[in-house]
Structures are given as C-alpha cells and as structure tokens.
Amino acid sequence: MEEKKKIVYSAVQPTGRLTIGNYVGAIRNWVRLQQEYECFFAVADLHAITVRQEPAELRRRTLELVALYLACGVDPSLCTLYIQSHVPAHAELAWVLNTITYVGEASRMTQFKDKSARHADNINMGLMDYPVLMAADILLYGASAVPVGADQKQHVELARDLAVRFNNRYGETFVVPEPLIGRGDARIASLQDPSKKMSKSDENPSASVFLSDDRDTVLRKFRRAVTDSENCVRYAPEKPGISNLINIYCAFENKSVAQTEELFRGVGYGDFKAEVGEAVARVLTPIQTKQAELLADKPALSALLNESAERAYKTARRTLFKVYRKVGFYRGE
Ligand code: ATP
Ligand code: LTN
C-alpha cells in the first residue's frame, strides 16, 4: 500500500504587500513542500479582520495574494490553495476549541500583547481569539507540519496544546502538529535597520522590498541599504547590514555565502548593492508579469478557488463532524 503523505498546512494574511522576506521565508518553501507532501495553503482573511480593514481593499488584496501565490509557483494541481472564509468549518471548529482554551493562555500570547499595544483602540475578542482560529485551521486538516516564521511558533505550540487537551478529554481526534521553522539565515532583515526583520508593516517604505516593487524601486532601495564603512563584502555578525545583503543575494541566486564572498572579492559596496538589486529584480519581474496575467482573468481564478474550497471543505468537514460527535452534539439516530 502506498504510504500516506504527511500533511502540511500554512497561511498568510491578506494584509499589506508581501516582502521578499515573506517570499524567501514562506512562499518559496511552500513551492518546495508541495512536491513532497499533501499541502493546504490558505489566504487567511478571517484572521485579517482582527485588525480593522477597508472592505474593498481586503477583497482586492485577497485575490492579489491568491494570484501571487500562483505566480510564485504554488501549483493547484499539487496542493489545495484556497480562501479561508470559503470553508465555514474554520469558524465552527474555532468555537469548539474556544471552550477548551483558557483566557489566561490566550492573553499571554506575544502577538496578542503586541497587537493590543499597537491597536489600543481596538482590542477586540477576535484579536485574542486569533491563535484559536489558527489552531482550528491546522487541526481541521490533520496537518503534522506547519511551516511558519519564528514569530508564529508560539501559536503552533498552542495548537499542539489544544490538540492534546482535546484528545485527552474526548478521545483520540486530532493529529498533534509541529512547527516547521526555516533556517535562521533564511530570515531577511530590514534594509534600514538590520537588527529588525523585514516586515510588511514597517512604517519606513525603504526598509522593505515588496514583491510588487518595479526594477528601479528595487535598485534604489538596495542602493540606500544600511551597511558599514569597511567596504568589504564579508559575512560577519558585526556586519549585520552587509551580511543581510549577502543572505539576500544567496537566496535569490541560489549561491552559498562562501561562493558569494569569493565572487565579490575586491568589489566595493556600491557595485555589490547594484548586483543584489539586479538579482532580486530578475526574480520579481516575471512573478509580477505572471500575477498581472492571472488577475486579468478573474473568472478563471474564481473557478479555481471554488474547486479548491470544495476540496478543502471535504477534508475539513470530516474532522468537524468527528469533533461534533465527540463533544456530544446530537446528529440524529
Ligand atoms: P507583519 O509585518 O504584518 O507582522 P510580516 O511581514 O511579518 O507581517 P507575516 O504575515 O507575519 O509577515 O508572515 C508571513 C510569513 O512570512 C511567516 O510565516 C514568516 O515566516 C514569513 N516571514 C515574514 N517576514 C520574514 C522575514 N523577514 N524573513 C523571513 N521570513 C519572513
Ligand atoms: N498567523 C499566520 C497566518 C496563519 C497561519 C495559519 C499560519 C493563519 N492561519 C495556520 C500557519 C497555519 C501569520 O500571520 N503568519
């Protein structure tokens, strides 16, 4: 009998424009994982509304993100790529999981504390419930691996705790998931402050390179990137700016740090920055062209999304009904 493939689940929220950090740290890995595992990748629109969103913009960004996933190589014939709100089981399972989540543990989550501080005028129940909904996402599909950035590790650990708690209380139901954290050097730092990660919500637009940036913008941002005064392309902890640029070059040219140092021996920062910019633009330009082509045919995208939502729902509802049975909901004789 063919061995059953391991299940992988991940999602990104349709808030803000994606950066090359999201590409290297998330989407590019998905493209690799879909070859080997049964993957479910979602656009987490239910999560997005935990902070205030402009409805028209949320709608536009959701579709743009779907097209971007596809343009980056996420292949709907290899995985299930869908919009979270198209599958009602997410919100339904989250409700049940709420009843086994303690207010104390939810309010201790780092992201909840951070976002409560940043959005002090809108500390809503959804914000606190965010990780419970995320646990529902993961547990519905029986995922054993969840590729995320280090910032999401605590949430995946809560999903583990909830899975174990439910299984202990009601009998074996959920697969207990593990976070799959990329290598530390896959973390792309801000171009303006290399001690911070590059983030789509950075207030300084020069700090992040967006996947939607055109070639000139990419080149300009790299030209202005913060470095040091040594003018030697060398990877070292005391040189976080240039080390970050080396990391980016390696990620986009599939080269090792040693190869990159060798290639740029004796080359000054100005020329190196231009080469990093060119390497990034060479990858981004075809992605942008492809994304625009996909967005020009909305009926085709809708058809694909309907089909994949149905596929996702088939798996999800099986888990949901099992849960309903276990907790004692009457479903007829
Ligand atoms: P925000 O600024 O709103 O917190 P973000 O850019 O940090 O957003 P998330 O939506 O939190 O992005 O993350 C989506 C995925 O992208 C995560 O799984 C994370 O691993 C990855 N990611 C985000 N930023 C980076 C980065 N700088 N380097 C590598 N991976 C990243
Ligand atoms: N919280 C995640 C997005 C997300 C997710 C998930 C990731 C929502 N549901 C399930 C993995 C599994 C983020 O902001 N990166």
Side-chain angles (χ1 to χ4, degrees):
M1 201 180 78
E2 201 191 324
E3 207 187 320
K4 216 167 170 302
K5 277 190 187 173
K6 199 158 113 171
I7 298 173
V8 168
Y9 190 97
S10 199
V12 171
Q13 299 184 73
T15 51
R17 291 179 294 165
L18 293 206
T19 70
I20 56 169
N22 300 125
Y23 177 69
V24 173
I27 300 187
R28 207 171 62 154
N29 297 333
W30 298 4
V31 173
R32 195 167 36 78
L33 289 165
Q34 70 182 354
Q35 305 287 343
E36 217 175 313
Y37 303 107
E38 179 169 0
C39 295
F40 291 87
F41 297 127
V43 174
D45 55 350
L46 296 176
H47 279 101
I49 60 165
T50 57
V51 304
R52 215 163 278 142
Q53 304 291 335
E54 177 58 46
E57 197 171 310
L58 177 62
R59 202 170 293 124
R60 178 177 55 77
R61 285 206 156 126
T62 300
L63 202 62
E64 281 176 5
L65 188 51
V66 170
L68 188 63
Y69 283 169
L70 295 168
C72 289
V74 171
D75 180 349
S77 70
L78 296 175
C79 68
T80 305
L81 163 61
Y82 72 102
I83 295 175
Q84 188 189 27
S85 67
H86 290 187
V87 178
H90 293 254
E92 293 171 303
L93 180 61
W95 176 255
V96 177
L97 294 180
N98 272 331
T99 64
I100 61 161
T101 308
Y102 302 110
V103 169
E105 63 190 340
S107 56
R108 273 196 299 276
M109 293 285 128
T110 310
Q111 181 183 289
F112 172 65
K113 290 194 277 188
D114 285 354
K115 288 200 177 169
S116 302
R118 265 193 285 152
H119 305 276
D121 58 336
N122 184 21
I123 306 177
N124 62 75
M125 295 291 285
L127 196 58
M128 185 149 131
D129 212 22
Y130 182 112
V132 181
L133 178 61
M134 184 164 153
D137 297 346
I138 297 166
L139 301 183
L140 276 174
Y141 298 91
S144 53
V146 185
V148 282
D151 58 318
Q152 295 297 315
K153 184 163 174 255
Q154 198 183 30
H155 290 166
V156 181
E157 278 160 4
L158 179 73
R160 281 179 70 83
D161 291 348
L162 295 180
V164 170
R165 195 173 300 160
F166 190 96
N167 289 349
N168 286 341
R169 194 167 302 173
Y170 296 107
E172 210 51 35
T173 308
F174 292 127
V175 174
V176 179
E178 297 265 5
L180 196 71
I181 312 282
R183 290 173 301 137
D185 59 359
R187 197 184 121 120
I188 306 291
S190 151
L191 296 188
Q192 292 300 316
D193 176 0
S195 67
K196 285 198 319 196
K197 76 163 190 169
M198 185 180 285
S199 152
K200 53 178 142 75
S201 55
D202 203 307
E203 289 114 48
N204 181 350
S206 313
S208 308
V209 177
F210 299 107
L211 296 186
S212 54
D213 283 343
D214 62 21
R215 179 170 171 277
D216 287 348
T217 310
V218 172
L219 293 179
R220 178 167 38 81
K221 286 181 177 175
F222 279 106
R223 208 161 42 236
R224 294 193 187 150
V226 169
T227 48
D228 54 75
S229 56
E230 193 192 31
N231 209 28
C232 167
V233 179
R234 183 171 66 84
Y235 195 95
E238 69 278 12
K239 291 159 66 73
I242 204 72
S243 298
N244 185 40
L245 296 183
I246 293 175
N247 264 339
I248 295 173
Y249 186 81
C250 291
F252 281 83
E253 286 288 288
N254 290 317
K255 287 206 162 44
S256 69
V257 170
Q259 283 171 328
T260 305
E261 286 176 335
E262 180 57 35
L263 195 61
F264 292 98
R265 187 188 301 264
V267 175
Y269 285 171
D271 290 341
F272 177 57
K273 285 174 169 181
E275 286 298 324
V276 181
E278 292 290 358
V280 170
R282 265 196 298 279
V283 172
L284 297 195
T285 307
I287 292 177
Q288 290 160 0
T289 309
K290 183 84 197 151
Q291 187 194 23
E293 275 169 28
L294 290 159
L295 284 169
D297 190 354
K298 297 214 168 60
L301 281 179
S302 297
L304 183 148
L305 287 167
N306 285 339
E307 197 264 322
S308 53
E310 217 145 281
R311 201 150 16 114
Y313 193 36
K314 235 185 226 155
T315 303
R317 64 183 290 172
R318 216 178 305 130
T319 310
L320 182 72
F321 289 143
K322 193 164 159 194
V323 167
Y324 279 1
R325 211 173 41 243
K326 299 259 178 165
V327 299
F329 290 165
Y330 181 72
R331 303 205 67 80
E333 299 303 325

